[in-house]
Amino acid sequence: MDTAQLTAPGAYPGLHLHLHDGGILEVVIRSEKTLNSVNADAHRALTRVWRDIDDTPGIRSVLVRGEGRGFSSGGDFTLIEEMSSDFTALTRVWKEARDLVYNVINCSKPIVSAIHGPCVGAGLAVALLADVSITAHTARLLDGHVRLGVAAGDHAAIIWPLLCGLNKAKYHLMTGEPVSGIEAERIGLVSLTVPDEELLDRAWTVARQLASGSPTAIRWTKYALNNWLRQAGPTFDASLALEFLGFTGPDVREGLSSLREKRAPNFADDAPL
């Protein structure tokens, strides 16, 4: 694939790609009306784009960010409802969710994420799997799986314990407690945090630094370090399978209804396991 195909308008629904001078590719998650939520088309695009970036020459680093008021508000309710009622949709999204994580990990180009506002769902996976993650102080990172009534699969099990330790990972992933940009840096969940007005400048500085370095040295360093994530693959695969098993149960239907109705959920009293 060449850069013209990669950056063609509409090539990746929900995303806008632009190649800047110095070989820096800007990937913008864009659906401002829904705070950059990820529908079925955008989820597929967010999965596929990293493989295509890896295959495209001329890209030396990537900067990924959200348009407007936040990074991404997560999966939209229509997609979640479809997954809970349609086996074909469920298995399709399971494969995409698996591939999204591994495609980011295996993308040879260094990735910088600039995180502001809400950062949830597939957007959070990309943001935290990036090689350098930078938050605005007021960013709000949230893994909302348990609030929806499914296991915290997605990206969480593969990387949160490595970044912030098992105890912090359990606390935030089992309670659904959000993490501010400042707190995310304090516990090691992200690389850096900066005042909101400095976020993009700092992210571009890091992206330029990575783009101007030795591609061989930087990419091979990334490959070696990401073996820490690859060896956690079985843990991730189990978490993702349990998450998607949860989409076939009653709790996700109650979780989705409660979110739509803006009320507290009334989950089942017990579980088989």
Side-chain angles (χ1 to χ4, degrees), residues 65-231:
R65 64 178 181 86
E67 185 73 86
R69 297 173 294 137
F71 194 89
S72 176
S73 59
D76 71 6
F77 289 168
T78 301
L79 177 59
I80 294 168
E81 189 171 57
E82 182 187 15
M83 291 163 59
S84 66
S85 60
D86 184 327
F87 179 76
T88 299
L90 181 70
T91 53
R92 182 196 76 232
V93 179
W94 163 78
K95 183 177 185 298
E96 290 172 3
R98 180 201 66 187
D99 291 349
L100 188 155
V101 167
Y102 286 126
N103 286 351
V104 175
I105 289 171
N106 292 323
C107 179
S108 62
K109 317 297 171 63
I111 303 167
V112 178
S113 60
I115 309 163
H116 77 294
C119 185
V120 187
L124 179 63
V126 172
L128 294 185
L129 288 167
D131 305 299
V132 179
S133 51
I134 307 173
T135 64
H137 284 345
T138 63
R140 186 172 181 268
L141 286 67
L142 171 66
D143 189 293
H145 284 83
V146 294
R147 175 61 179 83
L148 181 60
V150 295
D154 202 28
H155 71 292
I158 201 169
I159 196 165
W160 281 58
L162 186 62
L163 294 176
C164 64
L166 186 59
N167 57 347
K168 288 291 187 183
K170 282 185 174 181
Y171 173 73
H172 288 287
L173 298 174
M174 294 172 70
T175 66
E177 185 73 17
V179 188
S180 71
I182 292 174
E183 177 68 1
E185 185 195 44
R186 189 190 74 80
I187 66 176
L189 193 62
V190 298
S191 307
L192 303 168
T193 188
V194 296
D196 290 32
E197 64 275 11
E198 297 177 16
L199 176 64
L200 285 180
D201 284 346
R202 188 60 181 273
W204 277 107
T205 296
V206 175
R208 292 187 191 101
Q209 183 178 0
L210 291 169
S212 65
S214 161
T216 302
I218 291 170
R219 294 178 196 180
W220 290 3
T221 296
K222 171 178 178 170
Y223 183 88
L225 289 172
N226 276 0
N227 279 325
W228 287 99
L229 301 178
R230 294 184 187 94
Q231 71 180 6

